[in-house]
Amino acid sequence: MKRIGMLTSGGDCQALNAAMRGVVKGLSENVDELEVYGFLNGYKGLIYGDYRLLTSADFSGILTKGGTILGSSRQPFKQMRVPDANGLDKVEAMKATYHKLNLDCLVILGGNGTQKTANLLREEGLNIIHLPKTIDNDIYGTDVTFGFQSAINIATDCIDCIHTTAASHNRVFIVEVMGHKVGWLTLYAGVAGGADIILLPEIPYDIEKVIAAINKRTKAGKGFTILAVAEGAISKEDAALSKKEYKEKVAKRKYPSVSYEIADRIFKETGVEVRVTVPGHTQRGGSPCPYDRVLCTRLGSAAAKAIMDENYGNMVAMVNGKIKYVPLGDVAGKLKTVDPNDQMIKEAKRIGISFGD
Amino acid sequence: MKRIGMLTSGGDCQALNAAMRGVVKGLSENVDELEVYGFLNGYKGLIYGDYRLLTSADFSGILTKGGTILGSSRQPFKQMRVPDANGLDKVEAMKATYHKLNLDCLVILGGNGTQKTANLLREEGLNIIHLPKTIDNDIYGTDVTFGFQSAINIATDCIDCIHTTAASHNRVFIVEVMGHKVGWLTLYAGVAGGADIILLPEIPYDIEKVIAAINKRTKAGKGFTILAVAEGAISKEDAALSKKEYKEKVAKRKYPSVSYEIADRIFKETGVEVRVTVPGHTQRGGSPCPYDRVLCTRLGSAAAKAIMDENYGNMVAMVNGKIKYVPLGDVAGKLKTVDPNDQMIKEAKRIGISFGD
Amino acid sequence: MKRIGMLTSGGDCQALNAAMRGVVKGLSENVDELEVYGFLNGYKGLIYGDYRLLTSADFSGILTKGGTILGSSRQPFKQMRVPDANGLDKVEAMKATYHKLNLDCLVILGGNGTQKTANLLREEGLNIIHLPKTIDNDIYGTDVTFGFQSAINIATDCIDCIHTTAASHNRVFIVEVMGHKVGWLTLYAGVAGGADIILLPEIPYDIEKVIAAINKRTKAGKGFTILAVAEGAISKEDAALSKKEYKEKVAKRKYPSVSYEIADRIFKETGVEVRVTVPGHTQRGGSPCPYDRVLCTRLGSAAAKAIMDENYGNMVAMVNGKIKYVPLGDVAGKLKTVDPNDQMIKEAKRIGISFGD
Amino acid sequence: MKRIGMLTSGGDCQALNAAMRGVVKGLSENVDELEVYGFLNGYKGLIYGDYRLLTSADFSGILTKGGTILGSSRQPFKQMRVPDANGLDKVEAMKATYHKLNLDCLVILGGNGTQKTANLLREEGLNIIHLPKTIDNDIYGTDVTFGFQSAINIATDCIDCIHTTAASHNRVFIVEVMGHKVGWLTLYAGVAGGADIILLPEIPYDIEKVIAAINKRTKAGKGFTILAVAEGAISKEDAALSKKEYKEKVAKRKYPSVSYEIADRIFKETGVEVRVTVPGHTQRGGSPCPYDRVLCTRLGSAAAKAIMDENYGNMVAMVNGKIKYVPLGDVAGKLKTVDPNDQMIKEAKRIGISFGD
């Protein structure tokens, strides 16, 4: 007999359902009795005891279903120790819910922030298993996170579509890819889509070098240029500002995002028409790709094994192509960003992709 | 022996290549000798004699290729009678190129503006065949234009992706669909994607009714609402302005497009988070869908027949499911907009879709 | 207050759920009280009173879901008047279920055979509305059936994939497309996919002409040839046989389908390697394409209107682009096959596609 | 100045062009003068001196293009030392072509067989770089081969489509996945597609256990079962035969492949209708997925670096997520098959997938 709780927290992504299906299938095939408590809308459901008792039928047929059947919400780690409007201590409330339901463990699917709270709950004595979810691929200690490949596919489709229209009209196009702090998604989608210029949060750009790269293409007779720009791309000037100065500058910016600002600069300096495309939240949506479905089925199945083995306190991760259990204490709070000297950056530069640096 | 000229003009779209392939295959299978002059970048190539002599090999393997192998550009009809910077009369220049190359006819692929110029050239004595291209589906005299279905597919994919993320987060989402003056694309993509609210240029919206529709869903326990909004969606107040007043208002608008303005209003009045997605030019790009490939192969083949029959001066159109030759003089300058009493609007309203009116 | 029954019968296809959603949304938005009885597995559920009382929640989120939430089965029209193993008269049993539940009407989604039974029930005094479903597009009296465009997309994807591998290896490839008696699906997918040879049930082929078409391509330096072959493609010799003789011949055939037989003949006569691909039931599966979703939403909404107007006994059809109510008595038992002189066949031949005739 | 030869050999797959583009872009951006000799149709072109001198324009825009611009053919390793019909020694002929063109090196894209010949040429003194291509993922010494993920996507799409139709009709479906000797593709597509039973060449199946797995599902109220079956799936009885006995048995088999034989057995023992789908060569075709495009761009760029460094005799591989140069002598002739005790097999079994063993 096992009683497990489950929740999905933070920005949603593809394959959350696939991962939960893996956990529940793994358990229901191997455990005599199973009770699954699905907490609604992330940690909120755990805090306020808002849950549904789920049966294995709830997890049937959801392998390919986008989103999360449990709902999600963002509950910043920093707020976890701050009492809510009614004075409720959220951490104590979560522990109370856990103990009241007499859970064997809590399976938590989420990204970096979620992981920090998961680790906190572990420190508070709860049995925790974390599954690394995020389109950003920025979780430390795993080769890859789920949602990442599905998001790459959508952003790349977008660049593919832009390619044909760009070629027909001799224009500059900017595709704005999700990622405020981390550029993995932009890097992979940019390389996969054949972008000419890729701007990442981790490699501040020099607008003159961006323009030089465009002009180089024009001189070579290539009438169009495609830029894959991360939401968090930043110029060298802005990167030199203090956090406060930068925030003030952004607040005053008349453009809805940095892509529009870059577009404006390029147009002013080259006279070439620039178009901006913002696929936005589509990058989190739709059916998970086969890669993510395999990944999540494996992670979920391995989580089920951990529960049967009472092996708690870990993130179930992919390490060098093998499933590993990585202690949450070793990874929580760490971020995996793009190293400007990463092998893949060098490979991209070698074939002529500019990073504006 | 046939000598034909060909050009693609206006905003590019899917299946331009498929249509040209149909024309050239139809001719090269049936005509002893064939010379195809491909004018580059729309009417510009015809004006300045910028062309390539193409062989049937150029048209092999392009059925599925997006964009146009000839390039395109926008040459407004109104500018056609205005001499260029060097004093060149563009219409006379086009006629001169045509006669110099001793063409049997000119096959012109384009939308409404392109069609007007095509009709002008016909009036000037050239042999013209027009193929109705546009993602807007606003060409009068044909059931459908090519590019339309492919664009629907892309915009619908976008709404599909948004659906899963919207459902996970209980948010309001706006997907901005192409179409400044005409709402067919938004209407079809909105219905296909299961949007809850659809705002079209032809049906000015009342923001209070939009908000009421959102609130109705919230009360019914549906946590999210999706709006498909045409680029040219317009409020009742703005629709009441004179053209001049409206232009001035838009110029002052701090939002990059009407979707952002609507998002802001909804957020202010409901307190619900609103996210905007702008697929933009992706809607013109990528490989044509099978529907458009069949349509274009048929239109192209029928254009080849018209050339062999020396049957000129027409748009090759689909009328009640059959290919017809429609005199350019009967259709040029007319626009097919969405009638607010269209059968499909009524059908959509019947199932609960709000148009904000 | 309305009490309606609903069933899906025959081979399943895409957009059945989308159509049912349209009906139920249309009614639940406009009718005070609504009871929906969903009969399981086609007419079987109606015969044996096997149903579920459905709520509007059952129809939420199924716009994009393939298959049918009601299940389906094939119940041949000819068997309807034959008592079952227990001596039950099926027609009387269906009437009894209908009257026992005191239904206002029965909404039946299905193809030709289904339509004949629907018409029989109408003749027996039941209120019937029929929605034209089939990937074969062979229902008389409507421009198009739902499922058709989705199936075209899948079969065309298949041909697209084959194209790249065929071109790399200089081989002949056969893609076997669904359709035992009717060739619309093969014709449209063949043209959309750029097949070189298309073999349909309605146009018996001469194998020598098929081989000549292959050799013509080889001589023209085109190393590969792609055939789109309907399941029911038939040679001129076989078409000349009596039905009985043909059945006997097929029974003795060592190949699982005609495609393998054609492949063998081509290999023997040309020495070129031939590969056969059988996408099979994938052509009925997956999420409906946007075209079918729009079509079904419209048909469903119009069916809801008919129910509110108590306008029964019709197929809800698309006629010249407009929704029409077509009396079942006018169309039941008729089949819409490909006319060998159809405009589209001529267009296809004009661009060099061989039909082997 | 660099003079390189390039060829693609064996069964084609996705992303061959993407890989070649990576090599050529990497060189043309960094080397003063570059000559690229593209040998046509695999080793055949090298043997008979059949090549085209390619420019960087040939490699522009081919990132997303399926197939290979060089053509391919199968030239079994065993035949390489056997003189051709005219008595020509093929290995000597290849060396002669290489030396005559004064090549710096030869970039060879191919699978296991290709790799063995590549290693032979290395032993004969040529400068060789090998890129690991195959949808089978069976090359020893690399995490993954290119083509594999694209093929998974296609096979999974196929299973996805079958899922909806299977669920509607309560049938058993078999999807036959490519792979005569190695089951990676079937394993990954099976898990990604949610197959219930997966049969691999490496794990001989007991038909009674397969049937038991189907019956277990039926008892659990799940009306349908999906099998992903590798082309080379083999029963325990057949696996016990000698190679000769097995060949004779297969030659007598009346079914075109093992899937049909399994279908027949299941039908006879359960009475449930079974349908077989054979996606076949579609699994090698179409545009490469973003995963493969990134992989090939990286491999290609790293091959360019190796050429500049005159670092020859290696396969450019992905090892634990990093690009590595793996000596051909260490890996040629080795096959990476599915270990029946592989972690992923255990994970799959844990969630209830049967392997029939």
Side-chain angles (χ1 to χ4, degrees), chain D residues 292-312:
Chain D
D292 276 333
R293 295 193 222 160
V294 168
L295 176 61
C296 282
T297 302
R298 297 188 62 182
L299 293 174
S301 175
K305 180 171 193 309
I307 293 168
M308 291 187 283
D309 294 347
E310 301 186 12
N311 172 17
Y312 300 121

Side-chain angles (χ1 to χ4, degrees), chain A residues 10-12 41 66-68 71-74 154 158 161-162 164-165 168-169 171 173 254 256 260 275 277-282 284-286, chain B residues 10-12 41 66-68 71-74 154 158 161-162 164-165 168-169 171 173 254 256 260 275 277-282 284-286:
Chain A
D12 79 311
N41 302 316
T68 159
S72 188
S73 68
R74 291 188 193 268
I154 294 173
C158 187
C161 282
I162 289 300
T164 61
T165 190
S168 303
H169 281 286
R171 281 180 184 147
F173 272 91
K254 69 171 182 174
Y260 289 94
R275 292 282 183 277
T277 292
V278 185
H281 280 69
T282 61
R284 302 183 169 284
Chain B
D12 79 311
N41 301 316
T68 159
S72 188
S73 69
R74 292 188 193 268
I154 294 173
C158 186
C161 282
I162 289 300
T164 61
T165 190
S168 303
H169 281 285
R171 280 180 185 150
F173 272 91
K254 70 171 181 172
Y260 289 94
R275 292 282 184 277
T277 293
V278 186
H281 280 70
T282 61
R284 303 183 168 284

Side-chain angles (χ1 to χ4, degrees), chain A residues 232-246:
Chain A
I234 191 165
S235 67
K236 282 186 195 283
E237 300 97 288
D238 287 352
L241 297 177
S242 74
K243 217 169 177 178
K244 201 190 145 208
E245 289 169 324
Y246 179 59

Side-chain angles (χ1 to χ4, degrees), chain B residues 241-259:
Chain B
L241 298 177
S242 74
K243 217 168 174 177
K244 201 190 143 207
E245 288 168 323
Y246 179 60
K247 270 200 173 170
E248 286 170 9
K249 191 173 171 186
V250 167
K252 278 186 221 152
R253 191 159 66 184
K254 70 171 181 172
Y255 310 95
S257 68
V258 72
S259 296

Side-chain angles (χ1 to χ4, degrees), chain D residues 112 115 130 139-142 315 326-335:
Chain D
N112 275 298
Q115 193 189 53
H130 172 242
I139 296 182
Y140 188 88
T142 184
M315 166 173 70
V326 178
L328 275 170
D330 293 356
V331 294
K334 296 182 184 171
L335 199 68

Side-chain angles (χ1 to χ4, degrees), chain C residues 99-328:
Chain C
H99 292 304
K100 189 180 158 200
L101 293 174
N102 199 16
L103 297 180
D104 286 296
C105 78
L106 198 54
V107 180
I108 296 173
L109 297 86
N112 275 297
T114 299
Q115 194 190 52
K116 281 194 274 186
T117 300
N119 190 43
L120 172 62
L121 293 175
R122 179 191 64 82
E123 288 167 351
E124 293 286 323
L126 307 194
N127 294 331
I128 301 292
I129 291 173
H130 173 243
L131 298 182
K133 165 238 78 162
T134 165
I135 63 168
D136 293 330
N137 198 34
D138 59 357
I139 296 182
Y140 188 87
T142 184
D143 295 351
V144 69
T145 60
F146 60 88
F148 181 51
Q149 189 63 48
S150 296
I152 291 170
N153 289 1
I154 294 173
T156 304
D157 269 1
C158 187
I159 302 177
D160 285 353
C161 281
I162 289 299
H163 240 107
T164 61
T165 189
S168 303
H169 281 285
N170 288 344
R171 282 181 183 148
V172 171
F173 272 91
I174 296 178
V175 178
E176 185 177 299
V177 180
M178 276 196 158
H180 283 290
K181 293 185 188 161
V182 180
W184 292 114
L185 181 55
T186 308
L187 176 59
Y188 273 76
V191 170
D196 306 298
I197 299 170
I198 296 175
L199 304 184
L200 307 179
E202 295 93 337
I203 306 179
Y205 65 86
D206 177 341
I207 192 72
E208 296 307 328
K209 292 199 174 156
V210 171
I211 288 161
I214 295 170
N215 289 337
K216 188 183 160 198
R217 280 183 61 83
T218 309
K219 266 180 214 154
K222 287 167 184 171
F224 67 96
T225 300
I226 293 179
L227 291 86
V229 173
E231 287 171 325
I234 190 164
S235 68
K236 282 186 196 285
E237 301 97 287
D238 287 353
L241 297 177
S242 75
K243 217 167 176 178
K244 201 189 143 208
E245 289 169 322
Y246 180 59
K247 269 199 173 171
E248 286 170 9
K249 191 174 171 185
V250 166
K252 278 188 221 151
R253 192 159 64 184
K254 70 171 182 174
Y255 310 95
S257 68
V258 71
S259 296
Y260 288 94
E261 189 173 1
I262 294 171
D264 218 20
R265 279 294 291 278
I266 294 172
F267 176 66
K268 277 176 188 149
E269 298 217 21
T270 66
V272 180
E273 281 188 84
V274 187
R275 293 283 184 278
V276 175
T277 293
V278 185
H281 280 70
T282 60
Q283 293 165 81
R284 302 182 168 285
S287 183
C289 69
Y291 181 96
D292 276 334
R293 295 194 222 161
V294 168
L295 176 60
C296 283
T297 301
R298 297 189 62 182
L299 293 174
S301 175
K305 180 171 192 311
I307 292 168
M308 292 187 283
D309 294 346
E310 300 186 12
N311 172 18
Y312 299 122
N314 299 307
M315 165 172 71
V316 187
M318 183 69 75
V319 181
N320 289 341
K322 298 281 171 204
I323 300 289
K324 290 269 160 64
Y325 302 102
V326 177
L328 275 170

